Amino acid sequence: MQSRFRSDRRLTVRMGITLFLLGLLYVGFVAALIALLKSWVLVVVIVALVFGAQYWFSDRIALFAMRGRVVERDEYPELHGVVDRLSAMADMPVPVVAVSRMDMPNAFATGRNPDNAVVCVTTGLLRRLEPAELEGVLAHELSHVAHKDVAVITIASFLGVIAGLIVRFAFYSQLFGGRRDQNTLVVLAAVMGVSAAVYGLSFLLIRALSRYRELAADRAAALLTGRPSALASALTKVTGDIARIPTKDLRTAQAFNAFYFTPAFGAEPGLGRLFTTHPSLEQRLEQLGRISAELGEAVPPGRA
């Protein structure tokens, strides 16, 4: 079923290219592991199990990692009401609603398709935002579900996760595995090298897609609600509040930056900003300002 969220052909093309390139990388990665480990059965079984677990249980994994839980309508009636209204406006299935008891203001969507999606907000977000701002954030997350880029990011992340796990396993195996013959050490070093290269390439591909999909979600949410200034206000408020949270308190959350409404970066500058999963706040506000002008919306000073 086609939702009423504005479709984005460029996003669709980018998702297709990303999946195609990652598919090629995936085939090469598996072939290299089979050649190095000389056991295609072991490699295929491990890869299939991890891929299946990530695809089918990605929503549960994300909720568990971020301390989120599914909430019923009587617990958060206003939150459910906004999600219901936006889903009706977008003509899409109503996702499961979850809340994470974290003070960091943020939100994310996960799930393999619109019929099996979860939208989660933190208590910090609910406490800080006005109703119109919250509506903009939730519309942004629902657009990710409608565009199906949540599923693409989940699948795309899979290869990097596998490669990263193999690098760690091989590294600790060398450290604590005791004495090994020279051939075994060469194979372990080769596996680490191939896995590190695959992780790096998938890392870059995912970030290139992720930055554009955030702009596409902002655009679709602003057009659906007709209030880009409210979304701009939420962006400004959330980004500013996250910047005041100590970096050490954000490190766990940073592993899920690709899924968040805005990345979990503290005030301390770091190299991580060079490889961020999101466009800059300035880029996002500039786009929302243009949409406001197109819609003839009166924008409060400094908000877009």
Side-chain angles (χ1 to χ4, degrees), residues 6 16 32 37 47 57 73 85-86 102 107 120 131 141 158 167 178 197 245 264 291:
R6 179 75 62 88
L37 300 178
V47 169
F57 303 109
R73 190 174 301 277
R85 185 171 68 255
L86 289 171
M102 297 178 64
C120 180
E141 296 305 327
F158 157 72
V167 169
I245 298 174
I291 296 172

Side-chain angles (χ1 to χ4, degrees), residues 114-270:
D115 291 317
N116 296 276
V118 178
V119 172
C120 180
V121 298
T122 66
T123 52
L125 186 82
L126 294 175
R127 183 167 57 82
R128 288 171 171 88
L129 297 189
E130 299 297 327
E133 295 169 339
L134 178 62
E135 181 184 66
V137 173
L138 290 170
H140 171 103
E141 296 305 327
L142 286 174
S143 75
H144 281 313
V145 175
H147 289 155
K148 299 182 176 64
D149 56 74
V150 169
V152 173
I153 284 291
T154 298
I155 295 170
S157 301
F158 157 72
L159 192 57
V161 169
I162 289 291
L165 289 174
I166 289 175
V167 169
R168 292 181 186 180
F169 174 79
F171 176 74
Y172 288 115
S173 178
Q174 282 189 333
L175 284 181
F176 306 112
R179 297 186 61 183
R180 300 179 183 276
D181 60 50
Q182 188 173 0
N183 289 338
T184 302
L185 291 175
V186 169
V187 170
L188 282 173
V191 169
M192 286 183 68
V194 170
S195 300
V198 167
Y199 179 82
L201 290 171
S202 62
F203 179 92
L204 294 175
L205 286 172
I206 290 167
R207 271 142 189 80
L209 171 63
S210 183
R211 289 170 188 166
Y212 185 83
R213 86 183 188 109
E214 294 302 329
L215 290 173
D218 284 346
R219 186 164 49 249
L223 292 173
L224 181 74
T225 62
R227 289 191 283 187
S229 61
L231 180 55
S233 177
L235 267 170
T236 303
K237 189 179 292 186
V238 170
T239 302
D241 284 358
I242 288 179
R244 287 191 283 271
I245 298 174
T247 302
K248 61 182 177 64
D249 295 335
L250 297 175
R251 283 175 184 157
T252 301
Q254 286 173 358
F256 291 89
N257 269 346
F259 294 90
Y260 281 137
F261 170 64
T262 191
F265 281 122
E268 298 175 13

Side-chain angles (χ1 to χ4, degrees), residues 63 66 73 93 96 103 209 259 265 284:
L63 284 178
M66 297 314 301
R73 190 174 301 277
V96 172
D103 188 55
L209 171 63
F259 294 90
F265 281 122
R284 298 176 76 174

